[in-house]
Amino acid sequence: YILFIDVPQKIRWERTVSWGEKSDDAMSFEKFQETEQTMETEKYVPEMKERADFVINNDQDLEHLLQAVDRVMAEIMKK
C-alpha cells in the first residue's frame, strides 16, 4: 500500500519557519514557493499522490495525524 501524507504548502512553510533549525528557515513564503518549484524531490509529488492508495491531509495537529494514520491502518488490516 502507498500512504501519501499531504500538507498544504503554506503549512509546510509555517512549520519550517517555526522549527528554526536552519539558517534559511526565515525565508519568505514566496521564496519558499520558488525553492520548492526547483527541488528535484518535489518534482514527482503530484504523481505520487495520484498513485497513493490512501491520502491523509496533515493540516492539523499531531493528534489528528495519528488518528488518521490509525484509521488507515485499521482499514488495511481489514483487507
Side-chain angles (χ1 to χ4, degrees):
Y1 296 99
I2 299 173
L3 173 59
F4 184 90
I5 308 295
D6 193 21
V7 183
Q9 190 177 47
K10 183 85 170 192
I11 293 175
R12 286 196 311 274
W13 171 74
E14 290 169 349
R15 289 175 180 173
T16 300
V17 169
S18 72
W19 295 332
E21 294 176 352
K22 298 176 279 196
S23 61
D24 61 348
D25 285 348
M27 75 171 69
S28 69
F29 179 59
E30 293 75 19
K31 180 67 175 169
F32 183 81
Q33 289 175 305
E34 291 173 17
T35 301
E36 277 202 344
Q37 288 176 355
T38 62
M39 293 176 67
E40 186 68 25
T41 56
E42 299 297 315
K43 188 176 186 179
Y44 301 103
V45 170
E47 181 181 340
M48 289 186 296
K49 183 177 180 179
E50 286 181 27
R51 291 179 173 215
D53 300 298
F54 301 94
V55 176
I56 293 176
N57 190 9
N58 183 16
D59 61 353
Q60 296 183 38
D61 61 11
L62 179 59
E63 184 63 31
H64 177 265
L65 173 63
L66 295 176
Q67 289 173 1
V69 170
D70 286 345
R71 284 191 298 272
V72 168
M73 293 307 297
E75 189 172 335
I76 289 172
M77 296 303 287
K78 289 179 186 177
K79 295 183 178 191

